[in-house]
Amino acid sequence: MNAALQLGAPVLSARHIVKNYGGVRALKGVDFDVYPGTVTTLFGENGAGKSTLMKILSGVEQPSDGTILLDGSEVTFADTNDARDHGISIIHQELSLSPNLSVRDNLYMGRELRRGLAVDYRTQEKRSREVLGELGLKIDPHAKVSELRLGEQQLIEIARALLADSRILIMDEPTSALSANEVEILFNVIEDLTSKGVAIVYISHHLEEALQVTDQAVVLRDGSMTAKAPADEIDLEWIVRHMVGENFDLGAPPSGYEFGPMALDIEGVSVADPKEPDRMLVDQLSLKVQEGEIVCIYGLMGAGRTELLEAVAGRRPLAAGTIRMRKGEITHLSLRDRLASGLGLVPEDRQRDGLVPTLSVGRNISLASVSTFVKGLFVSRAKERTHSDEAISDVRVKTDGRGAPIGSLSGGNQQKVVIGKIVSTGPKVLLLDEPTRGIDVGAKAEVFKLVAQRARTGLAVVYSTSEVGECLSIAHRIIVMSRGRIVAEFDPSVTKEEIMAASGEAVVEA
């Protein structure tokens, strides 16, 4: 059912919205409507203008031209607080939480409940527990956000928006760090909100997932609207065709060559929970990867995928086990020395661990290779510029150039910068933790093509993903983890259902 066609007038409209950043036109006269009780899904590649449009509708930025109508009347939002006072809230793709504050304080930051002049902490805590319960979170409101997993932090961001009791809720990649079970809980929340008349704007690169909640779809491409249709008139092929002009194939495992010698040997590795040292996040795990081989690690949130990759890269201490590369054991080497040995990690959280927000695109890319530009006491800026330009071209970052601020890029292009930074060091073993988080279907194809090309030259690749479909796209071998252990191993002929069943994930029959 397409609710939008039955509900008459939109609650929020954008008319001929234009947004310029210097000489770049991010939005080119976009018209966009949001209806009460309806999920309007906005599709588009990274850099298409989706997040820019949502920032304008939520008061984060001002349009260069055009008007916004709320209930038919023209409005101007001075900032996000002004937009929120008008009933519009946004859940950003990049987390905006304060890690040093508690969950409760983050939920009410900037909008504290008061009893007289004092903050009403008791009521804030009570409501915090209620909204956390709605999202299936067993988290102490007094816990620091920094102590939570990325997926849990994403749910805190969502809970924060739910507490605002908004009429219009914009969700920019809300499931990018969520497990399948957490996505299901979120979808139940969305159904409840729309039944109460709340208008939802939903942005996601998880196309099949987004189709489950969509009432109407809008596609942006290069700052312009290219298509709009109700849910019963669209499918996956329709979305991809209007996004990128053709049906992209994420690829297949590269073939036609023999794997080389062992490139990475993980033997009996255990990683302890820093909060509970007796509990193992990774438990006696062993895995060998050959040169030229691409191995995918799949598992639900909490399976130990991230902890394993971070331990192998040197970001976490081992409780037991050894790690070897072709030149010998690296168990006791630092992260920096492992990188110098040819072991590179693309981390899951690009904002926290992959980027320096105050540096340019080029400087972010060159950080991991800076030692190669040093001559005596000086840095060769010419070599650094050449290096950055080649990496930007290699991973196809959409940017004004190496000097552009990293914050000017879309989330997916920022992720490409992180990937380019590590790939440009010339690693022998590449660890990718959720490498396509926040990346559109076209960019995924580009990343997988890059990985396949490097594998043919002998690069060993281990990548972790929470998207079952990605396991079947490029991996020569699929490893399923659960509770810190390997519970299954498959070749690419396996089905999605078999992978999900092995991980302990409930498989719902169609």
Side-chain angles (χ1 to χ4, degrees):
M1 181 185 74
N2 180 22
L5 294 182
Q6 299 183 0
L7 293 176
V11 62
L12 181 68
S13 297
R15 290 289 173 264
H16 195 69
I17 296 296
V18 173
K19 182 62 179 178
N20 299 320
Y21 293 102
V24 177
R25 178 160 288 193
L27 295 175
K28 306 169 184 177
V30 173
D31 292 332
F32 185 73
D33 294 310
V34 182
Y35 296 84
T38 301
V39 178
T40 300
T41 303
L42 189 57
F43 295 105
E45 291 190 90
N46 292 115
K50 306 183 305 297
S51 293
T52 300
L53 178 60
M54 294 305 102
K55 287 176 181 178
I56 289 171
L57 294 180
S58 60
V60 176
E61 296 190 9
Q62 302 298 316
S64 302
D65 194 11
T67 57
I68 300 173
L69 304 174
L70 186 64
D71 296 321
S73 299
E74 185 174 340
V75 292
T76 300
F77 302 131
D79 51 31
T80 54
N81 290 330
D82 190 11
R84 192 171 64 219
D85 290 342
H86 283 83
I88 303 172
S89 293
I90 183 169
I91 300 167
H92 293 283
Q93 177 182 353
E94 305 301 344
L95 300 179
S96 59
L97 304 174
S98 295
N100 60 318
L101 296 181
S102 69
V103 169
R104 179 201 64 192
D105 290 345
N106 268 278
L107 290 176
Y108 282 95
M109 185 167 53
R111 50 188 173 186
E112 292 80 2
L113 301 179
R114 294 190 177 276
R115 181 176 294 174
L117 297 177
V119 176
D120 189 354
Y121 290 112
R122 180 176 297 180
T123 302
Q124 287 186 175
E125 180 173 340
K126 178 184 176 183
R127 293 187 183 176
S128 296
R129 292 187 185 279
E130 290 172 352
V131 73
L132 293 174
E134 290 177 23
L135 292 171
L137 289 173
K138 297 179 180 178
I139 295 176
D140 185 351
H142 297 288
K144 281 190 176 182
V145 163
S146 60
E147 299 172 351
L148 306 182
R149 299 191 310 269
L150 182 60
E152 291 174 326
Q153 292 183 30
Q154 183 76 65
L155 286 171
I156 297 303
E157 192 82 64
I158 293 168
R160 187 177 173 183
L162 294 179
L163 281 171
D165 294 327
S166 302
R167 299 170 57 205
I168 302 162
L169 183 56
I170 299 168
M171 297 183 169
D172 191 355
E173 293 287 349
T175 66
S176 60
L178 303 187
S179 68
N181 290 336
E182 289 166 335
V183 170
E184 185 177 352
I185 292 171
L186 176 62
F187 283 1
N188 289 334
V189 170
I190 289 174
E191 184 177 0
D192 180 58
L193 290 172
T194 53
S195 70
K196 297 174 182 176
V198 176
I200 305 286
V201 181
Y202 191 90
I203 300 175
S204 179
H205 292 311
H206 300 272
L207 306 185
E208 292 177 282
E209 175 189 281
L211 284 172
Q212 298 177 45
V213 293
T214 299
D215 290 312
Q216 66 169 349
V218 175
V219 181
L220 286 184
R221 185 177 181 184
D222 295 327
S224 300
M225 183 188 295
T226 58
K228 178 181 178 181
D232 56 7
E233 296 180 10
I234 69 172
D235 56 18
L236 195 61
E237 189 275 334
W238 180 93
I239 298 169
V240 175
R241 185 176 72 251
H242 286 96
M243 278 178 58
V244 298
E246 59 180 294
N247 197 344
F248 268 77
D249 183 358
L250 287 182
S255 58
Y257 64 96
E258 297 291 329
F259 296 151
M262 181 275 296
L264 179 67
D265 183 2
I266 303 167
E267 184 178 349
V269 162
S270 294
V271 179
D273 185 341
K275 300 176 188 175
E276 302 176 38
D278 292 334
R279 186 172 79 91
M280 294 295 121
L281 301 176
V282 179
D283 192 6
Q284 293 294 308
L285 187 145
S286 297
L287 176 66
K288 289 181 172 64
V289 185
Q290 294 174 261
E291 291 180 358
E293 185 181 18
I294 303 174
V295 177
C296 169
I297 301 179
Y298 177 81
L300 302 180
M301 188 171 293
R305 296 176 290 120
T306 292
E307 291 80 5
L308 172 64
L309 295 189
E310 289 185 344
V312 172
R315 295 194 63 208
R316 285 178 180 262
L318 296 184
T322 57
I323 303 168
R324 299 182 183 88
M325 291 180 64
R326 192 172 179 184
K327 291 183 179 180
E329 186 173 345
I330 62 169
T331 309
H332 303 294
L333 294 184
S334 66
L335 188 154
R336 181 177 180 178
D337 289 339
R338 293 186 202 200
L339 181 63
S341 298
L343 178 64
L345 169 69
V346 173
E348 178 185 25
D349 190 338
R350 60 174 170 264
Q351 290 297 321
R352 185 187 66 189
D353 303 320
L355 298 170
V356 179
T358 56
L359 295 183
S360 66
V361 171
R363 288 289 172 83
N364 266 283
I365 281 185
S366 66
L367 273 178
S369 307
V370 69
S371 62
T372 63
F373 316 132
V374 176
K375 210 171 199 181
L377 298 175
F378 301 96
V379 175
S380 172
R381 295 302 181 192
K383 287 185 178 180
E384 183 181 16
R385 288 192 293 268
T386 299
H387 174 92
S388 298
D389 287 342
E390 289 176 350
I392 288 170
S393 175
D394 197 11
V395 295
R396 299 188 182 183
V397 179
K398 292 181 181 178
T399 176
D400 290 340
R402 79 179 90 85
I406 193 67
S408 68
L409 303 189
S410 64
N413 280 294
Q414 289 181 10
Q415 182 74 332
K416 287 184 186 180
V417 169
V418 179
I419 293 172
K421 177 177 71 173
I422 300 301
V423 169
S424 65
T425 65
K428 304 300 182 185
V429 178
L430 181 61
L431 309 177
L432 301 165
D433 193 1
E434 295 281 5
T436 61
R437 177 176 173 253
I439 286 184
D440 62 71
V441 63
K444 284 182 183 180
E446 292 173 358
V447 169
F448 284 163
K449 181 180 179 181
L450 174 67
V451 169
Q453 290 172 340
R454 296 303 173 94
R456 290 181 184 278
T457 66
L459 178 67
V461 180
V462 181
Y463 76 94
S464 162
T465 182
S466 56
E467 289 195 49
V468 182
E470 288 187 7
C471 296
L472 306 177
S473 298
I474 195 172
H476 296 111
R477 187 159 44 117
I478 299 161
I479 302 296
V480 181
M481 284 186 67
S482 178
R483 301 177 186 271
R485 293 176 177 267
I486 293 176
V487 295
E489 184 173 322
F490 300 107
D491 63 34
S493 65
V494 68
T495 65
K496 290 182 180 181
E497 290 75 18
E498 288 173 317
I499 295 172
M500 294 167 69
S503 71
E505 186 173 348
V507 180
V508 181
E509 295 294 334

